[in-house]
C-alpha cells in the first residue's frame, strides 16, 4: 500500500549511502532479500505489492540512497538465493506467473516486473541522472571537449531512458487492457499511478538533457 511504501522509504532514507557492514548485513541487501522473498510467493498480489515497494524505493528515497539500492541490486542479480536456489530478481523465477491466476494476471505482473527491475537497475530517484546539471552561482570556465564525447554519454542515457519507457508502456497496455474498469485491483491502480508519475518526470528530464546536448553540440558545429 502507499502507506507501507511511505514508511519503507522513510526507513531506507536513514541508511548510510555506503554501509561498512559485511554484505550479508548490508541494510540495502537485507531489504532487497525481504522484497525478493515476497516476489516469489504464489499469490500474484503479493508479487505485485513487493514490486511496487521496490519501485517506490527506487523512485522516492533520496538520490544517494536510491543509487546505493541500485548498486546493491546490480550486485545481487545473477546470484542464487542460498535458501531456494532461485536467482535473485529473475523474472523467470516469479512463481505467481505460473499460479492459478497466471493466465489472467501474468501479463500484468511480468510487464511490471520488467519495468521495475530495469528502472531500479538503470536509474535512481526521479531521473536526476538524465536531467542536465543545474547551473552554479559562479560557474567555472567551460572545458572544451569533442562533441562525440558529449554525444556518447548523453546517447547512452537516452537509450536507457527509451528502454525503461518501452517497459513502462508495455505495462500500461497490459494493466489497462481490461475493458471493465471495475475489475482493476487496487494494487495495480497504485502501480499505474507510480508508472505514470515516472513517465512525466522522465520526459521532463529527457527534454532538459536534450536541450543541453543541443546547446553543447552547437558550440562545436
Amino acid at each position: 500500500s502507499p502507506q507501507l511504501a511511505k514508511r519503507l522509504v522513510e526507513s531506507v532514507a536513514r541508511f548510510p549511502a555506503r554501509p561498512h557492514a559485511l554484505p550479508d548485513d548490508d541494510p540495502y541487501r537485507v531489504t532487497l532479500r525481504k522484497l525478493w522473498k515476497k516476489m516469489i510467493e504464489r499469490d500474484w498480489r503479493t508479487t505485485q505489492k513487493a514490486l511496487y515497494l521496490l519501485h517506490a524505493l527506487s523512485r522516492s528515497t533520496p538520490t544517494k540512497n536510491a543509487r546505493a539500492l541500485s548498486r546493491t541490486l546490480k550486485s545481487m542479480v545473477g546470484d542464487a538465493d542460498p535458501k531456494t536456489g532461485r536467482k535473485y530478481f529473475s523474472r523467470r523465477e516469479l512463481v505467481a506467473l505460473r499460479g492459478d491466476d497466471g493466465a489472467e494476471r501474468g501479463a500484468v505482473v511480468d510487464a511490471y516486473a520488467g519495468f521495475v527491475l530495469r528502472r531500479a537497475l538503470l536509474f535512481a530517484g526521479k531521473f536526476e541522472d538524465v536531467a542536465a546539471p543545474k547551473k552554479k552561482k559562479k560557474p567555472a570556465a567551460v572545458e572544451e571537449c569533442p562533441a562525440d564525447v558529449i554525444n556518447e554519454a548523453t546517447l547512452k542515457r537516452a537509450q536507457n531512458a527509451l528502454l525503461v519507457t518501452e517497459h513502462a508502456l508495455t505495462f500500461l497496455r497490459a494493466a489497462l487492457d481490461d475493458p471493465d474498469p471495475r475489475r482493476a485491483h487496487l494494487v495495480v491502480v497504485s502501480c499505474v499511478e507510480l508508472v505514470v508519475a515516472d513517465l512525466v518526470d522522465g520526459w521532463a528530464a529527457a527534454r532538459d538533457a536534450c536541450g543541453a546536448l543541443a546547446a553543447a553540440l552547437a558550440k562545436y558545429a
Side-chain angles (χ1 to χ4, degrees):
S1 68
Q3 292 76 19
L4 176 58
K6 182 180 179 180
R7 291 197 298 271
L8 186 58
V9 165
E10 291 172 348
S11 176
V12 172
R14 293 191 290 269
F15 291 172
R18 293 188 179 274
H20 297 292
L22 294 173
D24 286 345
D25 297 324
D26 183 304
Y28 297 98
R29 190 177 183 91
V30 171
T31 300
L32 287 170
R33 281 204 306 261
K34 290 179 179 179
L35 289 177
W36 173 244
K37 185 178 179 180
K38 292 297 182 181
M39 286 181 197
I40 58 175
E41 290 193 10
R42 296 195 64 83
D43 191 323
W44 74 270
R45 301 168 191 82
T46 304
T47 300
Q48 196 79 357
K49 289 175 183 177
L51 288 166
Y52 174 83
L53 291 175
L54 176 57
H55 186 182
L57 285 177
S58 178
R59 171 180 169 79
S60 300
T61 51
T63 303
K64 60 184 179 64
N65 299 96
R67 286 173 177 162
L69 187 79
S70 181
R71 286 194 301 268
T72 307
L73 180 62
K74 289 175 184 175
S75 72
M76 293 177 69
V77 169
D79 290 347
D81 181 348
K83 293 184 178 179
T84 64
R86 297 192 178 101
K87 289 186 176 181
Y88 285 121
F89 301 103
S90 169
R91 288 161 66 187
R92 296 179 181 178
E93 303 290 358
L94 298 183
V95 180
L97 298 180
R98 302 189 294 275
D100 296 336
D101 292 336
E104 181 178 2
R105 300 288 186 173
V108 174
V109 175
D110 187 50
Y112 191 53
F115 167 75
V116 171
L117 293 175
R118 287 288 184 182
R119 190 236 195 272
L121 287 167
L122 295 174
F123 295 104
K126 298 179 180 177
F127 301 96
E128 289 88 351
D129 291 337
V130 179
K134 295 181 179 179
K135 294 182 179 179
K136 298 180 180 180
K137 293 182 179 179
K138 295 182 179 180
V142 177
E143 180 180 354
E144 294 188 3
C145 59
D148 58 346
V149 174
I150 302 174
N151 194 40
E152 181 181 356
T154 305
L155 281 180
K156 183 61 178 177
R157 290 195 294 269
Q159 289 172 348
N160 289 338
L162 287 173
L163 179 62
V164 170
T165 300
E166 180 182 354
H167 280 285
L169 295 177
T170 298
F171 164 68
L172 290 177
R173 282 194 294 267
L176 303 175
D177 185 52
D178 196 325
D180 186 355
R182 292 172 298 179
R183 284 165 44 88
H185 194 279
L186 182 60
V187 67
V188 177
V189 173
S190 297
C191 295
V192 167
E193 290 176 348
L194 272 193
V195 171
V196 170
D198 264 351
L199 287 174
V200 172
D201 290 337
W203 173 259
R207 179 195 59 203
D208 293 343
C210 288
L213 174 62
L217 291 179
K219 295 180 181 179
Y220 304 102

